[in-house]
C-alpha cells in the first residue's frame, strides 16, 4: 500500500539518492521518496494513509526536509483514515495484545483481495468513533503514539550496549499498549523524533 511511514536511518530517496533525514518516507510503488521528490512526481501526499501522526513538529521556513503531517489527527472519518486504523491494528501493532480482532482481520483479508465494501469502511469508521470517544487503548491517538514509541524503542535497543531497560519498556508497551509518564520521560531524551506523551483515559494517573 502506498503510504507515509517510518524508515530506517540509512534509507535514501529512490529518486534523488539523498538520505531521508527525517527517517520518514513516502512509500509509493515500492519506492522511498522524500516530500519534494514526491510532489515533483505529482503524488498527492494528502491522500496517502499516514502512519507518522504521533510525531510533533515545529514549523520552519524551510519545509523541504521537515516532517509532513498534521500535528493533530484528522477530524474526518474518510477511507484513508479507516485504512490507517485497520493497518495499525492488523499489521503495524500485531505484537500488541488484543490489537487484531477476528472482525478487523476479516476486513483486512478482504482489503488484500480488493473486496472491501462500503459496509466494511462504515464498520471501521464507527469503531474509530467509539474508541476515540472512550479514549481507550484502541483510540487513534494511542495507536499512533504506541507505533512511534515502538519504532524508536526498537532503534534505541539496538543502539545501546546496556539495553535491558529499553527492552523492558518496549515489552511493557507491547503488553499494555500504554506507557506511564515516568517511563516515557525516561526514554524520550533518546528519541530522534519529537513526540508528545499520550495515555488512554483509564491509565492516566
Amino acid at each position: 500500500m502506498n503510504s507515509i511511514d517510518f524508515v530506517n536511518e540509512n534509507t535514501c530517496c529512490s529518486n534523488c539518492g539523498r538520505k531521508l533525514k527525517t527517517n520518514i518516507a513516502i512509500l509509493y510503488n515500492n519506492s522511498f521518496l522524500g516530500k519534494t521528490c514526491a510532489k515533483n512526481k505529482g503524488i498527492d501526499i494528502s491522500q496517502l494513509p499516514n502512519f507518522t501522526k504521533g510525531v510533533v513538529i515545529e514549523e520552519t521556513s524551510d519545509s523541504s526536509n521537515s516532517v509532513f503531517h498534521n500535528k493533530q489527527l484528522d477530524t474526518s472519518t474518510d477511507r484513508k483514515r479507516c485504512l490507517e486504523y485497520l493497518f495499525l491494528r492488523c499489521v503495524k501493532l500485531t505484537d500488541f495484545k488484543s490489537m487484531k480482532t477476528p472482525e478487523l482481520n476479516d476486513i483486512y483479508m478482504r482489503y488484500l483481495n480488493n473486496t472491501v465494501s462500503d459496509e466494511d469502511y462504515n464498520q471501521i469508521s464507527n469503531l474509530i468513533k467509539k474508541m476515540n470517544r472512550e479514549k481507550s487503548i484502541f483510540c487513534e491517538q494511542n495507536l499512533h503514539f504506541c507505533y512511534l514509541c515502538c519504532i524508536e524503542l526498537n532503534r534505541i535497543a539496538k543502539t545501546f550496549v546496556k539495553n535491558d531497560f529499553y527492552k523492558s519498556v518496549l515489552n511493557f508497551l507491547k503488553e499494555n499498549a500504554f506507557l506511564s509518564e515516568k517511563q516515557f520521560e525516561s526514554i524520550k531524551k533518546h528519541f530522534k523524533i519529537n513526540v508528545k506523551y499520550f495515555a488512554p483515559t483509564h491509565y492516566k494517573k
Side-chain angles (χ1 to χ4, degrees):
M1 180 176 67
N2 297 330
S3 63
I4 302 170
D5 207 344
F6 297 106
V7 291
N8 70 54
E9 56 189 10
N10 296 316
T11 302
C12 295
C13 177
S14 301
N15 186 59
C16 68
R18 294 179 180 176
K19 189 175 180 179
L20 298 171
K21 296 179 180 179
T22 60
N23 294 345
I24 290 175
I26 297 159
L27 281 58
Y28 198 83
N29 292 342
N30 297 317
S31 295
F32 300 100
L33 301 172
K35 180 182 179 182
T36 301
C37 286
K39 283 190 173 181
N40 290 340
K41 285 180 171 292
I43 299 170
D44 187 354
I45 298 171
S46 66
Q47 297 304 308
L48 298 178
N50 186 348
F51 300 108
T52 71
K53 288 181 177 177
V55 178
V56 177
I57 62 172
E58 296 291 337
E59 296 294 338
T60 62
S61 56
D62 178 14
S63 60
S64 60
N65 289 321
S66 64
V67 180
F68 36 90
H69 61 270
N70 296 330
K71 292 181 181 179
Q72 300 295 327
L73 292 175
D74 300 334
T75 55
S76 61
T77 49
D78 53 15
R79 292 196 172 191
K80 178 187 73 170
R81 188 174 175 186
C82 289
L83 288 176
E84 289 170 359
Y85 191 85
L86 180 66
F87 269 70
L88 281 168
R89 290 194 62 173
C90 292
V91 180
K92 306 293 184 180
L93 298 174
T94 51
D95 288 343
F96 284 58
K97 190 176 181 179
S98 304
M99 279 292 171
K100 184 186 287 188
T101 65
E103 295 78 12
L104 285 174
N105 190 58
D106 287 345
I107 296 175
Y108 175 66
M109 296 307 297
R110 286 195 287 276
Y111 171 84
L112 294 179
N113 293 318
N114 295 312
T115 58
V116 181
S117 66
D118 290 340
E119 184 179 347
D120 289 328
Y121 282 112
N122 287 335
Q123 183 177 341
I124 298 172
S125 179
N126 289 333
L127 180 61
I128 291 172
K129 291 175 184 177
K130 182 177 185 294
M131 295 298 103
N132 286 356
R133 186 169 58 249
E134 296 175 355
K135 292 187 177 179
S136 77
I137 60 172
F138 304 112
C139 71
E140 283 178 294
Q141 192 167 354
N142 193 56
L143 296 184
H144 283 285
F145 175 79
C146 287
Y147 181 51
L148 185 150
C149 288
C150 190
I151 293 286
E152 287 294 278
L153 280 167
N154 273 310
R155 180 188 62 78
I156 293 168
K158 293 176 182 178
T159 302
F160 289 88
V161 176
K162 295 180 179 180
N163 57 13
D164 289 345
F165 171 72
Y166 302 105
K167 287 182 178 179
S168 69
V169 175
L170 179 58
N171 289 335
F172 180 92
L173 178 65
K174 289 181 177 181
E175 179 66 23
N176 299 283
F178 84 98
L179 291 176
S180 71
E181 192 162 6
K182 185 176 180 181
Q183 285 174 314
F184 180 71
E185 290 297 322
S186 68
I187 62 174
K188 76 171 186 177
K189 62 185 177 182
H190 298 295
F191 281 17
K192 286 192 172 183
I193 299 173
N194 189 16
V195 55
K196 185 177 180 181
Y197 176 70
F198 179 82
T201 298
H202 298 301
Y203 297 97
K204 287 182 178 179
K205 297 180 180 180

